[in-house]
Amino acid sequence: MKLIEGQVAVVTGAASGIGLGMATLFASRGLKLALADIDEDRLNAVSDELAQGGAEVLARATNVADAADMQHFRDAVLERFGRVDILCNNAGIVSPFRPLWENPLPDWERVIGVNLWGIIHGIRLFVPGMVAAGRGHVVNTASMAGLIVVPWNGLYNAAKTATVSLSETLRADLEAAGSAIGVTVLCPGLVKTAINSDPTIAALIPPDAVFLEPADVARQVVSAIERDQLYLATHHGSDELVRTRQEQVLSQVRRVP
Ligand SMILES: NC(=O)c1ccc[n+]([C@@H]2O[C@H](COP(=O)([O-])OP(=O)(O)OC[C@H]3O[C@@H](n4cnc5c(N)ncnc54)[C@H](O)[C@@H]3O)[C@@H](O)[C@H]2O)c1
């Protein structure tokens, strides 16, 4: 789908990092913005700055893991703009790296709540209207952790793998329904954002690791929307990681004769 001035882009987790990068690029292309984030102060600051730059912005403090909160956000977006063209289910969090079985219940609930239920609520609440309108594009932010296993990151791996599966299924279901709506599952490697500041994660990142800027990721997202690309792995070398994983699967799934 081509980006056209006046279209409406919804972005969750828009107050920082990749979400802010996408919102900023959409604004520079003349799109109207509907922004959600749990951090109300930062969201308002970001929204004011984008509005000063000329964008039309609706900003709502929203917890994407909360069904009622997301429903209020959806209602406010439709009341203000009456349409949604691009939906970016992007908000996400991490938890400390540790062996899977040592994760406490609140961490499971937080990570699955934000990273998986956030995507589910976005799809559930916004996609029906997009299907009815017959146009649009959905971008779900997963991670390379949705395509390969990152040790000690099991909660996040589980939510991001499910996000890849939801995106693939959404694409298949839309195609089967004859809908023209596109889907992209965004699978970044390391990006320079606040999410990597947890000390247990930062300690494991090799010194020569390549970090992209959020603006680089945003440019790739726009290109994926315009080319209707389902999988978007942002970093060089991602294809090799995916190939190795698939070969591992294939080498072990053969039936014993
Ligand atoms: N930065 C990376 O290296 C990287 C790599 C792969 C995937 N990702 C994914 O990119 C997405 C964006 O993360 P980022 O790197 O920009 O991090 P970030 O911390 O800069 O931004 C995440 C935003 O989400 C918001 N948020 C957190 N919980 C929320 C909730 N319950 N409801 C609404 N908003 C909430 C935060 O306030 C923050 O503004 C996440 O889904 C993350 O998993 C990031």
Side-chain angles (χ1 to χ4, degrees), residues 54-99:
E56 198 177 330
V57 188
L58 167 78
R60 267 294 159 110
T62 304
N63 176 3
V64 296
D66 186 280
D69 243 18
M70 279 292 276
Q71 191 167 330
H72 289 139
F73 175 55
R74 190 272 318 266
D75 292 348
V77 174
L78 292 182
E79 194 183 310
R80 170 77 174 269
F81 296 123
R83 61 188 277 175
V84 171
D85 299 282
I86 296 172
L87 168 65
C88 299
N89 293 310
N90 168 76
I93 56 170
V94 288
S95 59
F97 274 33
R98 47 167 92 92

Side-chain angles (χ1 to χ4, degrees), residues 104-118:
L105 180 60
D107 281 19
W108 278 103
E109 290 176 340
R110 266 181 343 104
V111 173
I112 300 298
V114 179
N115 294 6
L116 181 52
W117 275 103

Side-chain angles (χ1 to χ4, degrees), residues 12-22 36-40 42-43 60-66 69-70 89-94 110 113-115 118-119 140-145 156 160 186-196 205 211-212 214 234-235:
T12 68
S16 165
I18 296 170
L20 177 56
M22 293 192 286
D37 203 286
I38 202 165
D39 185 335
E40 188 165 17
R42 215 166 29 178
L43 180 65
R60 267 294 159 110
T62 304
N63 176 3
V64 296
D66 186 280
D69 243 18
M70 279 292 276
N89 293 310
N90 168 76
I93 56 170
V94 288
R110 266 181 343 104
V114 179
N115 294 6
I119 304 270
N140 293 324
T141 304
S143 164
M144 278 306 287
Y156 189 85
K160 295 302 188 180
L186 169 61
C187 299
L190 292 166
V191 185
K192 270 185 218 157
T193 72
I195 213 171
N196 293 309
I205 297 175
F211 281 81
L212 291 184
T234 54
H235 288 51

